[in-house]
Amino acid sequence: MDMFDDTPEGVEPGQNSPEFSVTELSGAIKRVIEGEFSHVRIKGEVGRVSRPRSGHIYLDLKDDKSVISGVIWKGVSSRLETQPEEGMEVIATGRITTFGGQSKYQIVIEDIKPAGMGALMALLEKRKKLLAAEGLFDPARKRPLPYLPEVIGVVTSPSGAVIRDILHRLRDRFPRKVLIWPVAVQGAKCAPEVARAIDGFNAMTPGGAMPRPDLLIVARGGGSVEDLWGFNEEVVARAAAASAIPLISAVGHETDTTLIDFVSDMRAPTPTAAAELAVPVRHELAAWLEGQSARMGQLVSNGLSARGQRLRDMARALPRADTLLDGPRQRLDRAGEQLGPALIAGVQRRRVRLADASGSLRPATLRQRIANDRRRLDALSVRLAPALARGVAAKRDRYESRAQGFRPSALARERSAKVEAFGKLSVRLSDAGARQTRGWRERLAGLERLRETMSYKATLARGYAVVRGDGAVVTDTNSAKQAAALEIEFADGRMSVGGKAVTRKKPVETPPEQGSLL
């Protein structure tokens, strides 16, 4: 549409531009923009993201100066590999168009991909991986915090609200001695000053004129990533990891995370929370101690009362000492009275047993016992001869029964049976050997026939010939011309060119090379 055409019909004289409706003008602008920016790629940070029930995605792409609206239709959104999220740096591909309903332009996104982390975040991730590989994030190296430190060292700015919050919280919970090391918590001086402060507290002498802290707190209020970047420096992280004094990091708000948080012994979400982690509540501790003291006193009193009552009960059950000795004393007196008569009676009993034993040892008694033994021996000797005779007869009968098995006739019968069996086995062995020999002979003949079939002699029998020159097989005309003499082998013999045939009964089979048969 030309804006400088002649005045069309319906235009009042003196007017050099026609009147457009809002829709017509919006349509014209839409055609111009879509024709000029039909396909573009935009790099920026994702801002606001909206996902209505329709399935479309509405978002903002921004940089440090400008913002452009974007839309991803439902069909494209379902195919995206990466869904856009707020704060993500992306590269969006699509076309620029307008939305006449709100008189604004926007990009209809057809593809969106992450553009990678920013320079600061990439550097932070690199430092985190480096320190993690060195083991500085290992939970095993983190030290427990002292329950009630005498001196607390605070590394922060002396003019901010952070130190006032920490001191106020310590005063409310449990007042302790606090040493403040003033540092810059933002800018280029932040990292070296914080690192020197941590090293300085650790270099103090325990029990010296300036007491060494039992606990360190590194604190700062919230801020942007750039504001907190000093606590992401490697020098600060290494100083915190090397600190021999337990350290609490309280940098930023609860959602802020810096590099010192990973290497510190304890991370507090806020500086006030760091003061709460550093000391217990004095009133609660005093109340707990009073309760424990009261419980201990009550337990000791109850224990003593119970043991005293038990001792009294046991004492009532025990008899008196005189009563305990009455019985043993009577038994001793009675045993003393019975000792003399018992000794006399024992001597008399032993005297009687000795007399009985000596009476049996007289010579007449011994002679009588010897005579009795002799008579018993004579009776046994009379029975010995018949018993020996019976034993010899029994053994003779067993010997004769066994000897019958070794007679010549029995041995001859056994020998003839074994000879007959051996003859049968020999016949069977001879037949088996003959059958095996015939099988081997037939197999050898078959192999011989196969060899004859595979030999080049069979080819010679069909009318072919082998040409040799100077002892080698000739395969082409050039070799034949160069040879000093030629020899041709037929099925029935060999002959030299211009000479007589050389007939061999059993020619040596030397297979010719490929292409040597004529």
Side-chain angles (χ1 to χ4, degrees):
M1 180 178 294
D2 191 357
M3 303 294 289
F4 299 94
D5 287 345
D6 295 334
T7 302
E9 296 181 3
V11 179
E12 297 180 0
Q15 298 290 335
N16 62 354
S17 60
E19 295 177 354
F20 296 93
S21 66
V22 176
T23 303
E24 290 176 349
L25 183 60
S26 297
I29 295 173
K30 180 181 181 68
R31 288 191 295 273
V32 171
I33 292 179
E34 288 182 353
E36 189 69 24
F37 302 96
S38 60
H39 189 269
V40 295
R41 299 176 74 242
I42 300 177
K43 180 179 180 181
E45 181 181 346
V46 178
R48 174 191 56 85
V49 179
S50 176
R51 288 182 171 85
R53 294 184 178 179
S54 62
H56 309 315
I57 300 177
Y58 298 94
L59 52 85
D60 291 336
L61 294 176
K62 62 181 181 179
D63 55 14
D64 57 342
K65 295 181 180 179
S66 304
V67 178
I68 184 173
S69 299
V71 59
I72 304 176
W73 302 126
K74 179 180 179 180
V76 177
S77 174
S78 61
R79 298 194 303 268
L80 291 179
E81 296 181 359
T82 303
Q83 294 294 325
E85 296 179 3
E86 187 173 353
M88 181 186 298
E89 189 174 3
V90 298
I91 297 177
T93 304
R95 55 187 177 84
I96 302 296
T97 184
T98 62
F99 180 56
Q102 295 182 358
S103 299
K104 68 176 183 179
Y105 64 94
Q106 62 185 5
I107 176 173
V108 178
I109 298 174
E110 300 172 355
D111 187 20
I112 189 168
K113 296 180 179 179
M117 295 180 297
L120 292 180
M121 299 307 297
L123 180 59
L124 178 59
E125 289 298 323
K126 181 179 179 181
R127 290 175 180 173
K128 286 173 61 176
K129 292 179 180 180
L130 175 63
L131 298 179
E134 296 180 9
L136 298 186
F137 299 167
D138 188 2
R141 60 169 299 277
K142 296 183 182 297
R143 296 173 297 274
L145 303 181
Y147 180 71
L148 187 60
E150 290 292 334
V151 181
I152 299 175
V154 180
V155 179
T156 188
S157 172
S159 59
V162 172
I163 187 61
R164 291 194 297 271
D165 293 342
I166 293 176
L167 294 177
H168 176 71
R169 198 58 177 163
L170 291 176
R171 185 165 53 250
D172 291 343
R173 291 175 65 88
F174 206 121
R176 298 280 88 185
K177 296 178 181 178
V178 178
L179 294 180
I180 302 174
W181 195 299
V183 295
V185 293
Q186 185 175 338
K189 297 181 180 181
C190 173
E193 289 186 2
V194 172
R196 283 196 298 269
I198 296 174
D199 295 337
F201 275 131
N202 280 271
M204 290 182 178
T205 304
M210 183 66 70
R212 181 187 182 186
D214 303 315
L215 179 67
L216 296 183
I217 298 176
V218 179
R220 187 206 187 281
S224 63
V225 176
E226 292 78 6
D227 295 338
L228 303 179
W229 188 254
F231 298 92
N232 287 322
E233 295 292 345
E234 186 176 351
V235 63
V236 175
R238 293 191 179 278
S243 175
I245 304 173
L247 186 144
I248 300 176
S249 63
V251 178
H253 296 303
E254 187 170 359
T255 57
D256 298 326
T257 303
T258 57
L259 202 58
I260 193 175
D261 295 332
F262 296 98
V263 298
S264 61
D265 298 301
M266 181 70 70
R267 177 186 179 270
T270 60
T272 304
E276 295 177 355
L277 292 174
V279 294
V281 180
R282 183 174 184 177
H283 301 296
E284 295 178 357
L285 181 60
W288 181 81
L289 289 175
E290 290 178 0
Q292 294 297 318
S293 177
R295 288 181 60 190
M296 184 180 295
Q298 186 66 30
L299 289 175
V300 171
S301 177
N302 293 340
L304 291 176
S305 300
R307 285 167 174 77
Q309 183 63 37
R310 185 179 179 185
L311 182 60
R312 288 189 294 271
D313 294 341
M314 293 177 66
R316 285 195 299 268
L318 289 176
R320 292 179 299 176
D322 296 339
T323 305
L324 293 174
L325 294 177
D326 287 343
R329 186 181 294 112
Q330 292 179 1
R331 288 195 298 273
L332 180 61
D333 294 340
R334 186 176 301 174
E337 294 175 356
Q338 296 176 357
L339 181 59
L343 291 175
I344 295 173
V347 171
Q348 290 177 353
R349 286 195 300 271
R350 284 169 176 77
R351 184 179 291 112
V352 171
R353 284 200 301 271
L354 180 60
D356 294 341
S358 62
S360 62
L361 297 178
R362 293 176 183 178
T365 304
L366 292 175
R367 284 193 297 271
Q368 184 180 358
R369 181 173 295 181
I370 291 172
N372 292 336
D373 292 340
R374 184 178 290 110
R375 285 193 300 271
R376 190 165 55 253
L377 180 61
D378 292 341
L380 290 175
S381 63
V382 172
R383 295 169 56 188
L384 179 60
L388 290 175
R390 286 193 300 271
V392 171
K395 291 182 178 179
R396 185 181 292 111
D397 293 339
R398 288 197 299 271
Y399 174 74
E400 289 178 356
S401 63
R402 291 184 179 180
Q404 288 179 358
F406 294 99
R407 291 178 182 178
S409 59
L411 294 175
R413 285 194 300 272
E414 185 178 359
R415 177 178 175 279
S416 62
K418 292 184 177 181
V419 167
E420 183 179 358
F422 178 74
K424 292 179 180 180
L425 288 176
S426 298
V427 172
R428 290 176 60 188
L429 181 61
S430 178
D431 293 342
R435 286 195 300 270
Q436 189 172 9
T437 302
R438 284 196 301 272
W440 287 344
R441 186 179 292 109
E442 291 174 357
R443 184 179 178 187
L444 184 60
L447 292 175
E448 179 62 22
R449 287 192 298 272
L450 180 62
R451 187 188 68 81
E452 290 293 339
T453 302
M454 301 299 294
S455 175
Y456 79 100
K457 293 292 186 179
T459 305
L460 295 179
R462 294 199 299 270
Y464 290 88
V466 179
V467 180
R468 294 181 176 85
D470 298 336
V473 177
V474 177
T475 59
D476 52 32
T477 56
N478 292 332
S479 300
K481 292 177 181 180
Q482 295 176 2
L486 296 176
E487 182 185 42
I488 303 175
E489 180 180 359
F490 298 95
D492 57 348
R494 298 184 182 184
M495 64 172 291
S496 300
V497 176
K500 297 181 179 180
V502 180
T503 304
R504 299 180 182 177
K505 295 181 180 180
K506 294 183 179 179
V508 179
E509 294 187 2
T510 304
E513 298 179 0
Q514 185 177 1
S516 62
L517 295 177
L518 298 179

